Amino acid sequence: MFGPVFGYATTLVDDQQLAYVGPLTPGVGWRLLWRMAERCHNDGATETRKAEWIVSQASRAFICGSGVVVKLSDADWVMEPGGWLVELGGSWCNQDVLVTGNLTVPALAAEQIAPKHTYYPQYVD
C-alpha cells in the first residue's frame, strides 16, 4: 500500500504483547514509519497516537490481507538494534508496546521485499 514492504510480528514478553513493525525493503530505514505517521497525523498528535496508527496499519493489513505479500507463521525474524520502543498506554489492537526498527526475515525472497506500487507516494517520499 505504501511502496516499501513492512514486516509485522508479535510476541508476548513479561505479560505484555509487543508489536514489532519495520521495513523489510533494503535501504529503507525504520524512521520512515514515523514520518508516514506524522504525515497522516499532522495535527500535532502525540508519539503514542502515531504509534497507535502504526500498529493499526500493521494489524489492518494482517487481518484484512490488504497489501499482504506473505504470511509466515513460524519464520525466523530479527529486529536490528537501534530502533524505538513506545508504550501504547493500554492495549491497542491487542498490543501493549510498539517496537519499530529494521526487520530481517531470511525466508523472504528478494522479489517479496522489493518496493511495491503505491497509490500514496506523498507519504513515502
Side-chain angles (χ1 to χ4, degrees):
M1 182 170 168
F2 289 112
V5 176
F6 294 95
Y8 171 52
T10 66
T11 188
L12 186 64
V13 176
D14 297 329
D15 293 327
Q16 285 193 313
Q17 193 67 38
L18 278 68
Y20 294 87
V21 181
L24 296 168
T25 301
V28 175
W30 61 269
R31 286 183 174 87
L32 176 62
L33 281 168
W34 292 94
R35 286 196 306 272
M36 291 167 57
E38 178 68 35
R39 289 177 180 153
C40 289
H41 291 288
N42 58 5
D43 57 354
T46 65
E47 297 305 309
T48 301
R49 180 63 195 119
K50 293 174 202 170
E52 291 170 349
W53 179 86
I54 292 168
V55 170
S56 295
Q57 296 307 308
S59 179
R60 176 202 50 77
F62 181 77
I63 291 169
C64 298
S66 58
V68 172
V69 175
V70 65
K71 288 185 180 183
L72 303 170
S73 59
D74 292 324
D76 290 334
W77 57 273
V78 176
M79 176 74 72
E80 294 176 13
W84 195 14
L85 180 143
V86 176
E87 300 266 345
L88 296 173
S91 185
W92 183 265
C93 297
N94 296 319
Q95 303 297 319
D96 301 303
V97 177
L98 168 66
V99 181
T100 54
N102 295 330
L103 276 173
T104 303
V105 180
L108 296 176
E111 63 271 5
Q112 291 174 305
I113 59 175
K116 309 299 181 215
H117 172 75
T118 180
Y119 294 105
Y120 309 100
Q122 69 273 21
Y123 294 111
V124 181
D125 296 331

